[in-house]
Amino acid sequence: MLQRENQIIEINAEVDPYLELAEIHRRVIEDEGPALLFTNVKGSQFPVVTNLFGTRERVEMAIGPRPEAIVKKITQAMDKLLPPKLSNLWQERDWLFSIAKSGLRRVSPAKAPVLQVRQPRVNLKELPVLTSWQGDGGPFVTLPLVYTEHPVTREHNLGMYRIQIFSENQTGMHWQIHKGGGFHYHEAEKRGQALPVTLFLGGPPALVIAAITALPESLPELIYASFLMGEKLNMAEIDGHPHPIIAEAEFAVCGEVPPFERKPEGPFGDHYGYYSLVHEFPVFNVKQVYHRKDAIYPATVVGKPRQEDYFIGEWMQDLLAPIFPLIMPGVRALWTYAEAGFHTLAGAVVRESYHREALAHAFRILGEGQLSLTKVLMITDVPVDLKKFHVFLESVLARFNPARDLFIINNTAMDTLDYTGRKFNQGSKAIMLGLGDPVRDLPGEYTGGPIAGIDKIKPYCRGCLMISGSAYSAAPELARQVVEHGREQLQEWPLVILVDDADALKDQTGFLWTVFTRFDPAWDIYAAYEVGHNKIIYSGPIVIDARMKPDYPDELIPREDIVRQVSQRWKELFGKKQ
């Protein structure tokens, strides 16, 4: 299909999987260019395909319109289906029968293309595994489909957990605190057992979507993938391995994760746009490797938004948006922002039918699966397009009274990749409410005059002001000083954000990435306050210090010689100048 729609380019010149391939990929995805098939990858017999999901159009091509149509029918028919009546079920039979086709189907090993070739001796270094950033701890599998089963219930999980290659037969297993595979390993380790694991690469695109979707724990990822495909998913059994094998995958890497064994893993240039640091993680010992005769190694490049996960995440949220009001009554709309790495920021439109009902909805959102790791949650009861963040933020700020509408929750779990809390897996959360009638007219232009220590002042949107001055290392107390000495000049502005360079933030992507990946609420929100009846009562303006801190990981920047090398080779690679 990609070839028919001119959505893939074949690159026949030799390309190095160490840094060079990733730099080519980054340039193409930045221009929303086609998928890339590298047929001559240095050091490996296998071709590499990247950028399969690098535009909204290709994500939709990979899945098709059927899932979205069925989700809409489900939400429209809920009043007919609950309680179920035979006559009503019969009226909805077409799409119900379509869902009923979802499931798993056993096939013989002879009919499983992934089992066509078995490596005579396990050697993961024969795979063209990419090193995307010069600071990475080694080559990483970046589109891994990691299959595990609960050691007691046998419920399965298919997740995407990065895999660092340690040796010919061992990798890291980066199980994060909120992921299903990590839960399975925790249960196995409590019993002193190794956890069998199968690492799949490639196969139906729906597998990638299912592996990274934040599904309820009770919904199996393989069943969801089958639903997205519109047909059953073929599985095969092999001797000596307790898991079924996805028959249509390109590669199947079989082994186990032993209990109580850890190795340093990382650094890794991650989707927040920074390096995640070295930490101890479990190891994956590989026993068998299978692949198709004509296997193609799928990969992606992780880095500063917007990358492939941005387009997949936006599509998934649009697909699931009609379901949120069903599973969380009172939540009208919900959106997490890919530009900020998803977990750092979420916005919601909720029902406010009694005093502070919105706060109950906020806690419900923060108690729902991976949404529990949300760092900043903004809530309004005004219908607004959450995708247009400046419009949403203005709606909140016009109604925001910090004395009653700002809540900071200290000492909570954080996303493993977010280091702003200064401790691994730990940080804080902020809830901002903007409900009811407006309490102020928002300014759109700054007229307050100079502020001590600040050399740039620039509105992001009405009510939100960006300021910059000295770097944090030179003036760590600058945000506090702005609150203490600049309140008179800033009294019209409910939200002020201190950044390293206000002039550099030119669009929504740049603003969200720069701001929300660089502050922790408990550490970096400043305001005048008093304590009354055991509540902290803030008064504006609220100042957020979103400057880079000395203990934050480094921002991802390509190596200069690789950038020059790719520029020089561009005509050789694509037949045109770059």
Side-chain angles (χ1 to χ4, degrees), residues 13-41:
E14 184 181 68
V15 173
D16 197 330
Y18 179 76
L19 302 184
E20 185 180 42
L21 194 154
E23 175 62 19
I24 296 167
H25 168 103
R26 285 192 291 267
R27 296 190 190 192
V28 172
I29 196 171
E30 185 177 2
D31 292 337
E32 296 194 18
L36 302 172
L37 178 62
F38 299 89
T39 62
N40 187 3
V41 181

Side-chain angles (χ1 to χ4, degrees), residues 285-303:
N285 294 326
V286 178
K287 298 181 178 180
Q288 297 173 351
V289 177
Y290 298 91
H291 62 82
R292 291 173 178 251
K293 289 180 180 178
D294 54 353
I296 298 175
Y297 178 88
T300 189
V301 176
V302 186

Side-chain angles (χ1 to χ4, degrees), residues 159-387:
M160 191 164 289
Y161 319 120
R162 74 182 190 226
I163 301 290
Q164 180 178 354
I165 304 298
F166 290 153
S167 68
E168 293 181 348
N169 62 355
Q170 188 180 72
T171 78
M173 182 60 71
H174 193 272
W175 271 324
Q176 298 175 28
I177 58 174
H178 55 291
K179 299 296 181 68
F183 297 152
H184 290 174
Y185 178 66
H186 175 70
E187 292 298 324
E189 195 170 50
K190 283 197 307 185
R191 294 166 173 78
Q193 301 172 359
L195 183 70
V197 171
T198 309
L199 164 63
F200 296 105
L201 293 165
L207 292 170
V208 172
I209 305 296
I212 64 177
T213 302
L215 297 173
E217 290 184 33
S218 58
L219 178 56
E221 283 81 7
L222 294 187
I223 302 301
Y224 179 59
S226 173
F227 161 71
L228 294 176
M229 294 164 55
E231 59 183 340
K232 293 188 183 299
L233 186 65
N234 290 338
M235 309 291 291
E237 302 278 357
I238 57 174
D239 293 335
H241 189 62
H243 290 166
I245 301 297
I246 299 173
E248 307 298 330
E250 297 288 314
F251 296 85
V253 180
C254 305
E256 63 182 19
V257 178
F260 313 118
E261 185 175 349
R262 304 288 191 273
K263 279 190 176 181
E265 187 263 7
F268 179 70
D270 229 310
H271 72 273
Y272 277 11
Y274 310 93
Y275 287 102
S276 60
L277 303 181
V278 176
H279 299 285
E280 298 282 325
F281 276 91
V283 300
F284 174 38
N285 294 326
V286 178
K287 298 181 178 180
Q288 297 173 351
V289 177
Y290 298 91
H291 62 82
R292 291 173 178 251
K293 289 180 180 178
D294 54 353
I296 298 175
Y297 178 88
T300 189
V301 176
V302 186
K304 188 187 303 182
R306 298 185 302 171
Q307 302 295 330
E308 287 184 80
D309 61 334
Y310 172 94
F311 298 101
I312 295 173
E314 294 236 320
W315 179 87
M316 286 192 305
Q317 292 192 83
D318 282 334
L319 174 68
L320 299 175
I323 297 178
F324 289 134
L326 300 180
I327 61 176
M328 291 185 284
V331 176
R332 310 295 194 195
L334 178 65
W335 193 255
T336 63
Y337 292 86
E339 301 96 328
F342 295 106
H343 289 317
T344 65
L345 175 64
V349 178
V350 303
R351 180 183 64 208
E352 172 81 349
S353 58
Y354 59 84
H355 180 64
R356 314 302 275 173
E357 181 188 5
L359 195 57
H361 298 312
F363 286 124
R364 174 64 191 271
I365 291 168
L366 293 176
E368 194 70 36
Q370 292 188 37
L371 288 168
S372 65
L373 296 178
T374 299
K375 180 166 67 177
V376 177
L377 175 61
M378 296 185 179
I379 298 277
T380 186
D381 61 341
V382 179
V384 65
D385 184 355
L386 296 174
K387 295 181 185 180

Side-chain angles (χ1 to χ4, degrees), residues 489-506:
Q489 297 99 309
L490 296 169
Q491 60 183 337
E492 291 185 307
W493 297 85
L495 183 61
V496 178
I497 301 177
L498 175 60
V499 296
D500 288 300
D501 184 0
D503 288 338
L505 308 187
K506 301 182 183 301

